[in-house]
């Protein structure tokens, strides 16, 4: 193993760490910003199974965690605020809403013509603006928005690091063959996705890693 290989591994895991930490910061910031309001809204709107589905999806898109939404729904069932039937719609919506992260991550696939929309372009701007708001903001709401912007910037910076780390290996026959073999077998692919998500405790994070590989031609 060469120094370049070690650098690639360190960069990739550093990017993964930033990606996961950014997601955690974003989730915590949004829950702190509007957590109580979301719980009240879920209790009122889930009387209809279709609105329950919509609420579950919207809440998950906001807090970026289907697990948090599902746990919130289960807690409300235990507290008697929501029935088991109502919670089913919310949990289904949560699993739909979690795909929003994949759509956001896919923005990195835009061509150079739309480079201004790439996370690698606007992530530093978000971090800079967020840092100014946190350092000089006097209101709690301003600080919360600043922390949220920093979280989004850190998340996309981590994604960019992961993508850049694997780029030099996109022509490596051994690496490409290994990924291709895993992807060619649907059962093995499901198992790998299951294990990675269990370890990371985030389906969005594992999809983000997969998209980083796909963007660089490692896997179709």
């Amino acid at each position: 193993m060469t120094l370049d290989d070690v650098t690639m591994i360190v960069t990739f895991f550093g990017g993964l760490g930033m990606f996961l930490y950014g997601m955690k910061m974003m989730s915590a910031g949004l829950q702190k910003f509007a957590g109580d309001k979301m719980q009240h809204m879920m209790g009122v709107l889930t009387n209809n199974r279709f609105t329950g589905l919509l609420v579950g999806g919207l809440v998950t898109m906001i807090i970026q965690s289907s697990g948090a939404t599902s746990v919130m729904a289960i807690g409300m069932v235990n507290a008697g605020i929501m029935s088991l039937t109502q919670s089913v719609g919310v949990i289904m919506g949560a699993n739909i809403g979690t795909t929003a992260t994949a759509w956001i991550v896919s923005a990195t696939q835009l061509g150079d013509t739309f480079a201004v929309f790439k996370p690698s372009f606007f992530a530093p701007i978000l971090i800079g603006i967020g840092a100014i708001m946190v350092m000089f903001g006097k209101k709690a709401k301003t600080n919360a928005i600043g922390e949220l912007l920093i979280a989004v910037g850190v998340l996309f910076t981590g994604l960019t690091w992961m993508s850049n780390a694997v780029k030099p290996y996109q022509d490596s026959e051994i690496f490409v063959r290994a990924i291709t073999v895993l992807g060619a077998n649907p059962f093995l692919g499901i198992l790998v996705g299951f294990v990675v998500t269990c370890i990371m405790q985030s389906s969005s994070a594992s999809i983000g890693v997969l998209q980083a590989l796909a963007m660089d031609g490692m896997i179709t």
Side-chain angles (χ1 to χ4, degrees):
M1 181 178 290
T2 65
L3 180 60
D4 289 337
D5 295 328
V6 175
T7 302
M8 183 278 293
I9 295 173
V10 171
T11 302
F12 185 86
F13 279 100
L16 177 60
M18 292 180 71
F19 185 80
L20 292 172
Y21 184 64
M23 288 184 64
K24 182 178 180 180
M25 286 176 60
M26 186 166 61
S27 175
L30 284 167
Q31 288 184 36
K32 180 174 64 177
F33 189 66
D36 294 337
K37 294 179 182 178
M38 286 182 185
Q39 286 196 4
H40 176 71
M41 178 182 68
M42 287 177 66
V44 173
L45 296 179
T46 52
N47 287 323
N48 182 292
R49 67 186 68 180
F50 297 106
T51 56
L53 184 74
L54 181 62
V55 168
L58 290 175
V59 170
T60 302
M61 280 189 275
I62 292 173
I63 67 176
Q64 289 296 299
S65 175
S66 58
T69 304
S70 298
V71 169
M72 191 185 302
I74 293 171
M76 294 180 75
V77 171
N78 290 334
I81 301 174
M82 182 189 301
S83 68
L84 181 62
T85 303
Q86 289 174 298
S87 70
V88 172
V90 174
I91 293 173
M92 288 180 66
N95 285 280
I96 295 172
T98 195
T99 61
T101 302
W103 282 93
I104 295 172
V105 170
S106 67
T108 59
Q109 299 181 38
L110 294 171
D112 293 335
T113 305
F114 302 96
V116 69
F117 296 107
K118 287 187 176 182
S120 59
F121 177 84
F122 59 76
I125 299 175
L126 294 178
I127 294 174
I129 295 174
I132 292 173
M133 294 178 71
V134 171
M135 292 178 65
F136 301 105
K138 296 182 179 180
K139 296 182 179 179
K141 186 175 182 179
T142 302
N143 291 335
I145 295 174
E147 291 175 358
L148 181 61
L149 292 176
I150 293 174
V152 175
V154 169
L155 187 154
F156 283 128
T157 299
L159 178 65
T160 301
W161 280 23
M162 286 192 294
S163 180
N164 291 339
V166 299
K167 273 185 179 179
Y169 295 85
Q170 61 183 6
D171 296 325
S172 174
E173 185 178 353
I174 295 177
F175 193 71
V176 172
R177 184 174 298 177
I179 296 294
T180 303
V181 169
L182 293 176
N185 188 317
F187 297 104
L188 186 57
I190 291 173
L191 179 62
V192 171
F194 172 79
V195 172
V196 171
T197 301
C198 283
I199 294 173
M200 294 184 178
Q201 281 300 297
S202 174
S203 59
S204 296
S206 57
I207 290 172
V209 174
L210 188 65
Q211 284 181 304
L213 296 174
M215 278 182 270
D216 294 300
M218 297 290 190
I219 189 171
T220 61

